[in-house]
């Protein structure tokens, strides 16, 4: 079987790493795999041992020729905006990664929240206008862009909750977290981009380890907004609050104008080895991006989730709070008391009174067990075969 992976064209690592994780699952099978990516990403992927098509991915105009050249039996994409059109036009089976915010029939918990990908009905019409002459059905909703024979949800059924009509749909498959190990960026040519890692030895986390060792008697936190979401002024105030309370903070958010004492308590790096950091902290503060919230689950680290008014993130954050694994705080854009709420949440975690921390740890342990069960039950090859079979049935229905 030949499998072509297509990441979101304008997406960051969150839409590439899950496909790399799926590709890794097929390494010791008979499947032949390849990636279709923009020219600027091709060299680093090849350095990581990834098979990349020599086609500059620019959208629909490059996808169809790529299918003709590689001849995939199945296309697997993560938020590919034009992949639905390309697979329909060529009759190629599609497996789409879907998350909260992409499910057909789903609705935001807060109707004022938008999607982080910011696709309006007008945007949909504009994107599809150039394809109207091909006779393809025009998408009426954002979720229509991700129709596929089979769908992979890179999470857990208890967190990425499917709308009721889809809960018994056998074409939805939960994979558990689709992440890679901490050395992926170095293998892909990132090396020195990790300020927290000695570029001379990708497995030497000495600078970070020294920071954690030096602060082993303090509360240690990791604060990140990923690579896309931007921290607000209030979030900078919260970082200063943590440092002012003798907490040691690792962060991908740059913080200037620190005192000598604060600099000793603060470790900044734009890219950080997530597994290593999460195995050395007491509390994580994050925005609940799909490529972020999985790490504290795996390492059973409680979280404070800061809302961004994007329902694909915030709805998951609210769900984690319901499950007892985190505290969710609406973001500063819709919460005038955000800084005060943040301080109270931190103090509650640090105090650990009334079984608060014990409740969080118990919930995280249960979710970690679900991670293991879900990942163990996931069979990528079976999903690919099912997608090809369903596509064949659709194109050649039995009489």
């Amino acid at each position: 079987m030949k499998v072509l992976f297509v990441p979101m064209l304008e997406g960051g690592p969150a839409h590439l790493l899950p496909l790399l994780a799926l590709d890794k699952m097929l390494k010791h099978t008979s499947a032949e795999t390849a990636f279709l990516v923009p020219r600027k990403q091709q060299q680093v992927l090849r350095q990581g041992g990834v098979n990349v098509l020599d086609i500059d991915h620019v959208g629909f105009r490059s996808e169809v020729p790529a299918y003709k050249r590689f001849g995939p039996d199945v296309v697997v994409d993560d938020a590919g905006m034009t992949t639905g059109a390309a697979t329909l036009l060529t009759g190629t089976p599609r497996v789409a990664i879907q998350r909260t915010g992409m499910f057909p029939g789903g609705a935001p918990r807060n109707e004022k929240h938008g999607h982080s990908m910011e696709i309006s009905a007008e945007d949909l019409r504009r994107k599809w206008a150039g394809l109207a002459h091909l006779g393809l059905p025009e998408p009426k909703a954002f979720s229509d862009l991700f129709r596929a024979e089979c769908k992979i949800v890179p999470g857990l059924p208890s967190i990425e909750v499917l709308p009721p009509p889809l809960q018994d749909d056998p074409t939805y498959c939960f994979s558990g977290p689709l992440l890679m190990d901490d050395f992926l960026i170095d293998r892909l040519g990132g090396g020195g981009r990790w300020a927290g890692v000695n570029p001379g030895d990708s497995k030497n986390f000495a600078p970070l380890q020294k920071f954690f060792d030096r602060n082993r008697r303090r509360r240690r936190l990791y604060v990140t907004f990923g690579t896309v979401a931007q921290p607000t002024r209030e979030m900078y105030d919260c970082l200063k609050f943590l440092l002012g309370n003798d907490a040691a903070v690792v962060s991908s958010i740059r913080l200037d104008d620190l005192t000598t004492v604060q600099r000793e308590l603060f470790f900044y790096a734009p890219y950080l080895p997530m597994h290593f950091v999460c195995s050395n902290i007491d509390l994580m503060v994050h925005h609940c991006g799909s490529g972020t919230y999985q790490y504290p689950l795996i390492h059973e680290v409680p979280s404070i989730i800061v809302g961004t008014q994007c329902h694909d993130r915030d709805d998951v954050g609210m769900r984690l709070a319901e499950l007892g694994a985190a505290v969710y705080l609406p973001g500063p854009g819709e919460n005038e008391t955000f800084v005060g709420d943040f301080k109270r949440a931190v103090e509650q975690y640090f105090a650990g009174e009334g079984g608060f921390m014990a409740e969080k740890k118990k919930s995280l342990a249960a979710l970690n067990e679900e991670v293991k069960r879900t990942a163990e039950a996931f069979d990528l090859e079976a999903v690919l075969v099912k997608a090809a079979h369903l596509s064949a049935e659709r194109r050649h229905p039995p009489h």
Side-chain angles (χ1 to χ4, degrees):
M1 175 176 283
K2 301 179 76 171
V3 182
L4 181 64
F5 293 105
V6 184
M8 179 183 177
L9 186 58
E10 301 90 359
H15 296 284
L16 174 61
L17 294 181
L19 298 181
L20 289 169
L22 293 175
D23 184 44
K24 185 178 179 181
M25 294 178 188
L26 298 174
K27 285 299 182 187
H28 301 294
T29 71
S30 60
E32 179 184 352
T33 65
F35 275 72
L36 175 64
V37 296
R39 187 79 66 190
K40 62 184 179 181
Q41 296 178 0
Q42 293 180 7
Q43 182 179 355
V44 293
L45 286 174
R46 290 192 180 104
Q47 288 174 344
V50 177
N51 182 28
V52 180
L53 297 184
D54 188 21
I55 296 176
D56 185 16
H57 183 32
V58 294
F60 181 81
R61 288 183 292 108
S62 59
E63 277 200 62
V64 173
Y67 296 179
K68 291 180 179 178
R69 180 184 300 185
F70 184 65
D73 296 295
V74 181
V75 170
V76 182
D77 73 286
D78 190 339
M81 295 294 189
T82 59
T83 303
T87 51
L88 276 175
L89 185 65
T90 60
T92 309
R94 180 190 189 190
V95 174
I97 288 184
Q98 289 190 9
R99 305 173 176 84
T100 295
M102 294 179 170
F103 304 140
R109 290 181 177 224
N110 185 330
E111 62 181 13
K112 295 181 180 180
H113 288 180
H115 196 282
S116 64
M117 293 165 66
E118 299 180 348
I119 300 294
S120 65
E122 179 58 34
D123 289 332
L124 281 175
R125 284 192 293 271
R126 186 167 54 252
K127 284 179 178 293
W128 218 254
L131 305 177
H133 67 285
L134 298 175
L136 299 174
E138 181 181 338
K140 302 299 183 184
F142 177 60
S143 60
D144 289 348
L145 293 173
F146 312 110
R147 289 175 177 164
E149 279 75 21
C150 289
K151 284 72 64 174
I152 295 174
V153 185
L156 307 181
S158 65
I159 297 174
E160 306 266 358
V161 181
L162 294 171
L166 301 180
Q167 289 178 0
D168 295 320
D169 187 334
T171 66
Y172 277 85
C173 310
F174 285 83
S175 64
L178 293 177
L179 307 172
M180 298 294 286
D181 63 55
D182 280 341
F183 311 119
L184 174 69
I185 293 179
D186 184 78
R187 289 201 305 274
L188 298 182
R193 296 176 72 193
W194 275 356
V197 179
N198 182 348
D201 181 358
S202 65
K203 296 187 179 182
N204 179 10
F205 295 154
L208 267 172
Q209 187 65 67
K210 183 178 180 181
F211 178 82
F212 286 131
D213 289 344
R214 186 172 70 244
N215 293 290
R216 63 183 179 277
R217 298 183 185 278
R218 292 184 170 93
R219 298 286 186 176
R220 301 181 296 189
L221 294 89
Y222 177 32
V223 182
T224 181
F225 269 55
T227 58
V228 177
Q230 296 297 315
T232 61
R233 175 186 55 80
E234 291 85 352
M235 200 61 238
Y236 287 104
D237 293 341
C238 292
L239 279 167
K240 291 287 185 71
F241 163 77
L242 294 172
L243 298 175
N245 281 269
D246 201 40
V249 179
V250 173
S251 184
S252 60
I253 302 170
R254 182 185 291 276
L255 195 59
D256 299 317
D257 302 322
L258 297 178
T259 67
T260 301
V261 172
Q262 289 173 333
R263 282 196 295 271
E264 287 295 306
L265 296 174
F266 190 70
F267 189 105
Y268 162 76
Y271 300 92
L272 287 153
M274 298 282 283
H275 285 297
F276 181 76
V277 170
C278 288
S279 65
N280 282 281
I281 57 173
D282 303 298
L283 178 64
M284 184 168 169
V285 180
H286 60 93
H287 67 311
C288 212
S290 180
T292 300
Y293 85 84
Q294 310 279 7
Y295 290 95
L297 295 185
I298 292 171
H299 295 278
E300 299 185 23
V301 176
S303 297
I304 295 176
I305 295 169
V306 178
T308 58
Q309 295 178 265
C310 297
H311 64 85
D312 48 314
R313 302 172 186 149
D314 288 34
D315 285 5
V316 175
M318 293 179 210
R319 179 59 180 160
L320 286 167
E322 289 175 353
L323 294 171
V327 169
Y328 166 79
L329 300 178
E334 58 181 339
N335 180 9
E336 294 180 355
T337 63
F338 172 77
V339 174
D341 293 345
F342 180 88
K343 292 177 179 180
R344 283 187 288 274
V346 169
E347 289 165 353
Q348 192 173 20
Y349 269 120
F350 284 3
E353 296 175 352
F356 180 81
M357 187 63 82
E359 174 203 343
K360 296 290 179 286
K361 288 291 188 180
K362 181 179 179 181
S363 299
L364 286 162
L367 287 171
N368 196 8
E369 286 301 314
E370 187 179 352
V371 167
K372 295 172 184 175
R373 291 194 307 271
T374 304
E376 185 177 344
F378 179 63
D379 186 342
L380 176 57
E381 290 184 87
V383 173
L384 298 174
V385 170
K386 177 187 284 189
H389 178 71
L390 291 173
S391 177
E393 279 192 340
R394 176 173 53 81
R395 286 181 285 115
H396 307 290
H399 297 290

